[in-house]
Amino acid sequence: MSDKKTLIEVKGLKKYFPVKKGLFNKTPSYVKAVDDVSFTINKGETLGLVGESGCGKTTTGRTIIKLYEPTDGQIIYDGVDIAKFNEKQMIPYRRKMQMIFQDPYASLNPRMTVGDIISEPIMIHNLMDKKAAQERVQYLLNRVGLNSEHANRYPHEFSGGQRQRIGIARALAVEPEFIIADEPISALDVSIQAQVVNMLEDLQEDLELTYLFVAHDLSMVKHISTRIGVMYLGKMVELAESNELYSKPLHPYTQALLSAIPIPDPDEAASKKRIVLEGEIPSPIDPPKGCRFAGRCKYATEKCREVTPELKDVGGGHMVACHLYDK
Amino acid sequence: MEKEKLLEIRNLKTSFYTHVGEVKAVGGVSIDLNKGEAIGIVGESGSGKSITMMSLMGLLSENGKIIDGEIIFEGRDLAKLSEEEMQKIRGNEIGMIFQDPMTSLNPVLTIGDQLMEPLIKHKKMSKKEAWDRAVQMLSLVGIPSPESRMKQYPHEFSGGMRQRVMIAMALACEPKLLIADEPTTALDVTIQAQILELMKELKDKINTSIILITHDLGVVADVCDRINVMYGGLVAETGSTRDIFYRPKHPYTWGLLKSIPNPKKDEKERLKPIEGQPPDLLKPPVGCPFADRCEYAMKICMQQRPPLFEVGEGHKAACWLNHPDAPKVEPPVGRGETNE
């Protein structure tokens, strides 16, 4: 729809990691973690990014906020290409873009109090004096469902779900516009996952946040996302509205991926047909020519092994990169 | 239909002695398993599901101890066996698969060596026989070119392949019981689907009984015949898979079912989490462990632990709502079916 404003536009993003082999190898090969990926994120929406381990979904997220330096491509944030910005130029954008990490145990400094953890980004960006920052910490703690007195405690005194709340409070401290949540609930228990997801939804509505939600739990991604992108071996293979993607998956890989979700309903699980994929994901160091999924795809033709399919709109904003849908 | 029992856990209590006091991790758990059956144990961290299994296998850490109860496996009480006797059972009559296939394989031994070890030790096979059997197991679990794979080390295998090796290893001695503790949690969905299909296939082929420990309701719905829902070191509800999903009788089971999104539904429904935190097992509550988080909690729930009420054939729930004098509550989930 045209009334939606674009917050981030990613064009031809590439991130290669060098692999050094041997002692004197001067020309290293590269892991093509993200290889020519383009998509947009609209203001106020949640874009889900799914795929299996090694597909590049986490690298994509981290490259967008420039935790990794992109190898090539544009990252247009609110009209400005930040892809080539240096650290100093990035500072104002660092405030606008925040991140929630997967592991609530590893992402909080055990030697800092919760109050210090949450106020640190405020102090770094020089947004307030100490007293005002403390008040903000109290406000944030209440906002994420913790008590004001928790500010003086240390991370080890909290459970996984509570720690994830602390991580969210820290991300919110500098009033960001855009939050990347990288597997924010996969380390939590089922009953706690729902608490955190509901809170993320409430915060989005109240604070007009935009999310990039990276996860491998496909049912939770469908629940939280407006649109979903499916990645395979460094490429975006399909991108569509979440209901559309789940009801009408076009790409053979998406079809296999969705059929593999375990359904929490014994009758449906018994009647469901599963597309079991043969083989494994090829190495991203020397990815196959043409469509990267061709080797495991039962519809693959000669063309698929030769020509890389482009991500194309096949109607209603449903994008797919597959030769089956060539006109 | 009379089914033969393979395993009977009776009123198992396991505690850990820590510097802050006794943690009553398992507070009186009874679980049955028939031959050729797959059961699921579902619960969140701290529910005691893994500790129950560790007690069964005699793999508790130093500060853990079985306080009370019996674990009858084929007529023997495993709780009373010595470590030496347990070693003859582990890996031989009871196979195990753990969550993390990387840390449960020895990185400095080849896959072949690790597969052959239990065969030589338990089945007294010669090296040649063990080699052949190991190759056969690897191809059974779907590993291509097993002969050359035998000479490789764990790091040369992907996560899914390693988990297949673990399954091959666990099944090499044709155990009567396979215990799988979160076997697919660390894997991607497509690989998870392959492993679950494999487990179902093996159950039918070799007639192995399976205990599947997981927090993923989707996984148990697919694989298991019966389900035990654990909470706070106790069994909250036990019944057939259909009982648990379609006519659950315990508010914790309701909460679990409500807190997961259904990928089949198109309209967006808000998730209904279970508010609050699980109980502290250092000082377990006197009454029902779930009472604190339960929206239906009554006075008696705080004072007295509910027994397992029989609510249907083979379907039991530890909740006072099932007492004949309790107020009638409409379950918020399931199909509203009643037990036939």
Side-chain angles (χ1 to χ4, degrees):
Chain A
M1 274 164 264
S2 54
D3 57 329
K4 281 177 193 149
K5 283 207 184 106
T6 304
L7 180 68
I8 296 174
E9 189 174 1
V10 176
K11 278 189 193 164
L13 188 71
K14 287 182 187 170
K15 177 64 200 171
Y16 296 173
F17 294 101
V19 204
K20 294 200 179 75
K21 266 189 189 160
L23 199 53
F24 302 106
N25 198 338
K26 296 271 165 60
T27 48
S29 46
Y30 290 93
V31 170
K32 297 179 175 172
V34 178
D35 199 8
D36 198 4
V37 164
S38 305
F39 59 93
T40 56
I41 306 174
N42 297 324
K43 256 181 197 150
E45 82 165 347
T46 301
L47 179 72
L49 218 46
V50 298
E52 298 175 86
S53 18
C55 73
K57 54 189 194 296
T58 295
T59 309
T60 304
R62 292 188 176 177
T63 313
I64 291 176
I65 55 171
K66 301 241 298 165
L67 278 179
Y68 297 142
E69 206 53 45
T71 309
D72 194 16
Q74 289 177 296
I75 304 160
I76 300 163
Y77 188 96
D78 235 351
V80 185
D81 183 5
I82 59 168
K84 306 238 155 38
F85 274 18
N86 61 28
E87 268 312 307
K88 207 169 155 206
Q89 288 170 304
M90 272 305 288
I91 290 172
Y93 290 93
R94 291 254 179 263
R95 207 196 119 190
K96 292 180 185 172
M97 307 194 273
Q98 287 289 316
M99 186 148 185
I100 302 168
F101 295 92
Q102 173 173 12
D103 187 346
Y105 294 86
S107 54
L108 302 176
N109 187 338
R111 289 164 192 273
M112 285 167 79
T113 64
V114 168
D116 288 342
I117 288 172
I118 298 174
S119 61
E120 194 182 24
I122 305 176
M123 301 326 264
I124 287 174
H125 285 282
N126 268 325
L127 298 178
M128 306 173 180
D129 61 42
K130 230 175 170 168
K131 187 142 181 301
Q134 263 167 13
E135 272 167 31
R136 175 125 180 101
V137 168
Q138 308 277 318
Y139 162 78
L140 288 164
L141 281 173
N142 289 324
R143 193 66 245 253
V144 297
L146 296 170
N147 297 328
S148 316
E149 62 255 33
H150 284 147
N152 299 319
R153 299 219 213 145
Y154 289 89
H156 75 262
E157 299 172 65
F158 296 90
S159 66
Q162 289 173 317
R163 283 183 216 208
Q164 203 53 296
R165 287 167 193 266
I166 297 168
I168 294 171
R170 173 178 58 187
L172 294 175
V174 292
E175 300 185 311
E177 297 169 340
F178 174 58
I179 290 182
I180 293 186
D182 190 355
E183 305 263 11
I185 52 165
S186 51
L188 306 177
D189 274 315
V190 183
S191 71
I192 311 293
Q193 285 186 351
Q195 292 179 7
V196 172
V197 165
N198 280 352
M199 192 177 69
L200 287 172
E201 287 178 340
D202 290 343
L203 291 168
Q204 177 167 44
E205 207 175 306
D206 296 351
L207 307 173
E208 294 173 354
L209 295 168
T210 305
Y211 290 144
L212 180 66
F213 195 88
V214 179
H216 71 272
D217 177 344
L218 295 148
S219 17
M220 207 49 111
V221 172
K222 170 169 190 262
H223 174 81
I224 198 167
S225 307
T226 328
R227 292 186 304 143
I228 297 173
V230 182
M231 289 189 71
Y232 185 79
L233 208 64
K235 291 273 189 199
M236 185 78 79
V237 296
E238 190 162 0
L239 182 72
E241 284 213 16
S242 43
N243 283 342
E244 166 90 6
L245 187 83
Y246 277 69
S247 55
K248 268 193 282 166
L250 296 179
H251 198 285
Y253 176 65
T254 314
Q255 289 168 359
L257 193 65
L258 293 182
S259 85
I261 307 176
I263 305 279
D265 185 317
D267 283 352
E268 271 179 44
S271 65
K272 186 169 87 159
K273 269 224 170 108
R274 212 174 244 157
I275 308 168
V276 176
L277 283 180
E278 298 295 324
E280 307 223 341
I281 305 180
S283 157
I285 293 180
D286 201 5
K289 209 165 73 167
C291 173
R292 294 190 175 179
F293 186 61
R296 300 170 79 188
C297 178
K298 59 179 172 185
Y299 308 106
T301 60
E302 209 41 56
K303 189 180 178 190
C304 301
R305 292 188 191 91
E306 293 299 326
V307 187
T308 310
E310 297 282 322
L311 191 67
K312 274 184 296 208
D313 195 331
V314 291
H318 194 145
M319 319 255 286
V320 65
C322 177
H323 289 310
L324 284 178
Y325 305 96
D326 286 347
K327 295 244 166 73
Chain B
M1 202 167 53
E2 196 56 35
K3 278 180 192 148
E4 221 180 324
K5 275 213 177 88
L6 179 71
L7 173 76
E8 230 183 315
I9 301 176
R10 286 279 148 264
N11 196 31
L12 178 76
K13 289 182 183 167
T14 302
S15 286
F16 288 88
Y17 296 92
T18 66
H19 63 281
V20 281
E22 179 188 352
V23 179
K24 293 175 176 157
V26 180
V29 161
S30 302
I31 290 172
D32 286 343
L33 175 66
N34 296 324
K35 280 191 178 151
E37 188 182 41
I39 62 167
I41 301 183
V42 183
E44 39 199 303
S45 9
S47 63
K49 56 188 196 303
S50 292
I51 301 303
T52 304
M53 288 306 120
M54 290 297 180
S55 310
L56 192 168
M57 295 182 291
L59 288 176
L60 292 172
S61 57
E62 291 247 313
N63 60 347
K65 195 169 175 280
I66 298 176
I67 310 283
D68 196 11
E70 295 174 321
I71 304 167
I72 312 287
F73 177 75
E74 298 238 287
R76 284 162 297 177
D77 186 356
L78 299 187
K80 295 197 175 60
L81 291 188
S82 67
E83 171 58 23
E84 217 171 296
E85 291 167 300
M86 275 311 290
Q87 278 183 5
K88 287 188 192 138
I89 292 178
R90 272 199 305 260
N92 187 19
E93 293 177 54
I94 304 180
M96 295 161 277
I97 312 171
F98 298 100
Q99 176 172 352
D100 188 347
M102 190 65 225
T103 51
S104 21
L105 288 170
N106 189 337
V108 296
L109 291 178
T110 63
I111 294 298
D113 286 341
Q114 298 186 57
L115 272 167
M116 284 155 62
E117 188 196 325
L119 292 168
I120 293 168
K121 198 173 156 196
H122 292 304
K123 296 286 176 216
K124 313 274 176 260
M125 285 186 185
S126 71
K127 248 190 146 171
K128 175 82 186 46
E129 286 168 333
W131 174 273
D132 291 343
R133 173 92 180 129
V135 171
Q136 188 196 340
M137 287 314 294
L138 282 182
S139 56
L140 181 73
V141 296
I143 291 183
S145 49
E147 291 270 355
S148 55
R149 285 297 219 171
M150 287 283 284
K151 292 174 203 144
Q152 292 186 326
Y153 290 88
H155 74 266
E156 298 172 80
F157 286 66
S158 69
M161 282 293 168
R162 272 182 224 139
Q163 199 57 294
R164 283 164 190 263
V165 171
M166 285 299 298
I167 294 179
M169 204 180 286
L171 293 175
C173 293
E174 293 186 341
K176 297 172 181 124
L177 171 61
L178 176 68
I179 298 174
D181 191 350
E182 304 267 7
T184 56
T185 308
L187 306 175
D188 284 314
V189 271
T190 53
I191 313 290
Q192 165 171 290
Q194 293 174 2
I195 299 284
L196 293 181
E197 287 299 322
L198 174 68
M199 282 176 59
K200 282 198 279 188
E201 214 181 289
L202 294 173
K203 187 186 90 171
D204 298 337
K205 259 192 210 158
I206 341 187
N207 201 31
T208 305
S209 305
I210 297 175
I211 300 181
L212 182 65
I213 304 169
T214 178
H215 66 270
D216 190 332
L217 289 163
V219 170
V220 285
D222 194 3
V223 178
C224 298
D225 306 312
R226 286 191 300 124
I227 297 173
N228 293 278
V229 180
M230 283 189 70
Y231 188 81
L234 295 168
V235 172
E237 185 165 4
T238 172
S240 74
T241 303
R242 295 182 58 99
D243 285 338
I244 300 295
F245 279 92
Y246 297 147
R247 31 184 185 268
K249 297 284 186 196
H250 195 290
Y252 177 63
T253 316
W254 300 344
L256 274 185
L257 291 170
K258 273 194 298 179
S259 60
I260 45 169
N262 187 344
K264 285 276 158 205
K265 273 193 186 142
D266 251 8
E267 72 273 29
K268 217 167 170 174
E269 245 175 51
R270 204 171 152 78
L271 300 177
K272 297 182 192 70
I274 308 175
E275 296 300 340
Q277 301 283 337
D280 180 1
L281 294 177
L282 261 175
K283 20 184 198 313
V286 217
C288 170
F290 188 60
D292 244 11
R293 301 170 80 183
C294 179
E295 56 182 303
Y296 306 98
M298 301 171 286
K299 211 166 150 197
I300 190 168
C301 302
M302 310 285 177
Q303 295 162 343
Q304 218 179 322
R305 182 167 289 178
L308 274 164
F309 289 100
E310 184 111 29
V311 293
E313 209 196 317
H315 184 188
K316 291 178 189 166
C319 173
W320 285 114
L321 286 177
N322 298 300
H323 190 274
D325 295 341
K328 288 279 161 282
V329 171
E330 205 49 54
V333 281
R335 290 184 175 170
E337 286 177 19
T338 42
N339 280 293
E340 301 86 38

